[in-house]
Amino acid sequence: MVEMKVFGLALDEDSQVPVLVLKDLEEKTALPIWIGAMEAMAISLALNGVKLPRPMTHDLLLSAFESLGGKVLSVNVVSLKDGTFYAEIEVDQGGSVRKIDCRPSDGIALALRASAPISVAEDVLEQASTDSLGEGKPVLQTEDAKEWNELLEKLNVDDSKYKM
C-alpha cells in the first residue's frame, strides 16, 4: 500500500464529472478517480473545514463508529476491476480490526473527517496512476475555491424545506 493525500478536486472537461485527485506523499504519482457530485461536495466540505448545523452522512457514519467504540484507522483503495475502484475502511473496535467495503469517494470523505490516512494498493497505481494531471480544470483551488466557499456561505439552511 502507498499512502496518498487528497491533492484536490477537478472537473473533467469532457464529461463535466468531478474528479478526485490523490497524490503520493512525494507528489510524484497522481491517481484520478471520477466521483459523483454529492461525494465531491462531501469531500469539499471536509477539505474546506465547513461545519454544517446538522450531520451529513459521512459525519453520521463517523459519529456512529465512535459511539460504538470504533476508530477509523485508514481508508484503502484496494482494487480496480472493469474501471471501478474498490475501497475498504479499516476500523478498530476494541482491538479487533474490521474491514468494511465502501466506494473510494465515501471512504475518503470519511477519512478526511476522521483524520485517517488514505492508501492505495500498488497494483491499482500501476493500472491507473499518472505522473501528470493533464489539462483538467481545478475546481477547489485558488479562485475556484473562493467561488465554492461563496456558494456555500450563501446557502441558508432555513430557506430549504428540509433541514440539514
Side-chain angles (χ1 to χ4, degrees):
M1 299 298 285
V2 176
E3 188 169 346
M4 308 286 279
K5 63 182 178 179
V6 175
F7 180 69
L9 293 166
L11 196 61
D12 182 295
E13 288 184 13
D14 297 328
S15 65
Q16 297 298 299
V17 172
V19 180
L20 169 65
V21 180
L22 300 177
K23 274 196 164 186
D24 67 338
L25 300 182
E26 296 174 357
E27 294 195 3
K28 292 182 178 178
T29 303
L31 179 67
I33 302 175
W34 278 252
I35 63 174
M38 295 305 294
E39 292 78 11
M41 181 60 78
I43 291 169
S44 170
L45 290 171
L47 287 174
N48 289 296
V50 176
K51 300 291 184 197
L52 298 174
R54 301 288 299 141
M56 299 292 286
T57 304
H58 303 95
D59 303 310
L60 173 65
L61 183 57
L62 180 58
S63 178
F65 282 150
E66 291 171 347
S67 294
L68 295 170
K71 179 180 189 243
V72 177
L73 299 176
S74 65
V75 170
N76 304 308
V77 180
V78 295
S79 65
L80 173 61
K81 297 176 188 165
D82 300 321
T84 301
F85 290 92
Y86 292 83
E88 297 174 339
I89 304 165
E90 280 194 10
V91 179
D92 181 333
Q93 187 178 28
S96 176
V97 176
R98 303 176 190 280
K99 294 181 180 181
I100 302 167
D101 180 43
C102 69
R103 296 183 301 181
S105 55
D106 289 326
I108 290 167
L110 179 64
L112 291 170
R113 285 163 172 77
S115 299
I118 300 162
S119 296
V120 178
E122 288 183 21
D123 64 316
V124 171
L125 290 174
E126 288 172 14
Q127 292 177 64
S129 69
T130 179
D131 54 6
S132 71
L133 296 177
E135 298 294 320
K137 290 182 183 175
V139 173
L140 293 172
Q141 295 178 356
T142 60
E143 291 300 315
D144 290 335
K146 183 179 176 185
E147 291 175 23
W148 276 92
N149 288 332
E150 287 173 5
L151 175 68
L152 289 170
E153 287 172 6
K154 288 179 186 176
L155 290 176
N156 183 348
V157 293
D158 294 327
D159 292 341
S160 65
K161 179 178 176 184
Y162 302 103
K163 304 294 183 212
M164 289 193 200

